[in-house]
Amino acid sequence: MAGLEGMEQPRGAGRATAARWSPAVEDEHAIKALELFGNPTECEVPLPSRPESAATARRLAQVVALRQWQLGPRVTEDTVLLVSELVGNAVRHTGARVFGLHMRRRPGLIRVEVRDPSRGLPCLMPVQDTDISGRGLFLVDKLSDRWGVDLLPRGKTTWFEMRVADR
């Protein structure tokens, strides 16, 4: 169960059904976001803790996944969705002014981290078919291979990992 310091959540092959984003056409705004905010693969990118930052984080994830990492549409789509969910949680639940986005790739694996100054731990809640909110960590749990939370001296990093095919 998430919420335990330094714990990670192994995941099976199960997939959740959710509204889907399509990476078929690369968004010119994604390239602009990379130019304006920086590359989250090179260092942590600080973003203001406002609802509109979720769109910026999605765009950054999109351009990294498609252009830099050359991931397929399905993995890109899932990555963008999960980035949006982690950022949404950071914006809604932490009271922070800024959060950080960092993306890493190793052979066969991608890792996305969202750091915020709150030490409040996220909680995976049961989800019903009729729920219209509260599905963020449920989606992270179903679509990622592993996820977890690392407590820091001042805040936490919530992260997910997904296995990917090497180029």
Side-chain angles (χ1 to χ4, degrees), residues 9-12 14-15 20-21 61 65 69 71-83 86 103-113 139-148 159-166:
Q9 307 301 315
R11 292 292 141 233
R15 289 278 186 215
R20 295 296 187 175
W21 162 87
W69 293 345
L71 300 178
R74 174 66 183 245
V75 175
T76 296
E77 180 180 350
D78 288 350
T79 301
V80 169
L81 174 62
L82 298 187
V83 164
L86 291 187
M103 301 175 68
R104 303 173 193 202
R105 181 167 183 171
R106 295 187 303 238
L109 185 75
I110 64 168
R111 180 181 173 108
V112 176
E113 302 173 341
L139 291 172
V140 172
D141 190 59
K142 293 299 177 194
L143 296 176
S144 69
D145 292 299
R146 294 186 325 153
W147 70 278
W159 54 269
F160 69 86
E161 294 179 342
M162 294 180 3
R163 288 187 293 270
V164 296
D166 289 328

Side-chain angles (χ1 to χ4, degrees), residues 74-145:
R74 174 66 183 245
V75 175
T76 296
E77 180 180 350
D78 288 350
T79 301
V80 169
L81 174 62
L82 298 187
V83 164
S84 186
E85 296 300 338
L86 291 187
V87 166
N89 284 348
V91 169
R92 271 194 261 8
H93 301 298
T94 67
R97 290 183 180 194
V98 175
F99 66 89
L101 174 66
H102 195 195
M103 301 175 68
R104 303 173 193 202
R105 181 167 183 171
R106 295 187 303 238
L109 185 75
I110 64 168
R111 180 181 173 108
V112 176
E113 302 173 341
V114 174
R115 186 186 55 78
D116 65 70
S118 169
R119 288 181 54 89
L121 297 173
C123 184
L124 178 61
M125 303 295 288
V127 175
Q128 303 298 319
D129 289 341
T130 55
D131 291 344
I132 57 173
S133 67
R135 294 176 175 264
L137 284 181
F138 172 78
L139 291 172
V140 172
D141 190 59
K142 293 299 177 194
L143 296 176
S144 69
D145 292 299

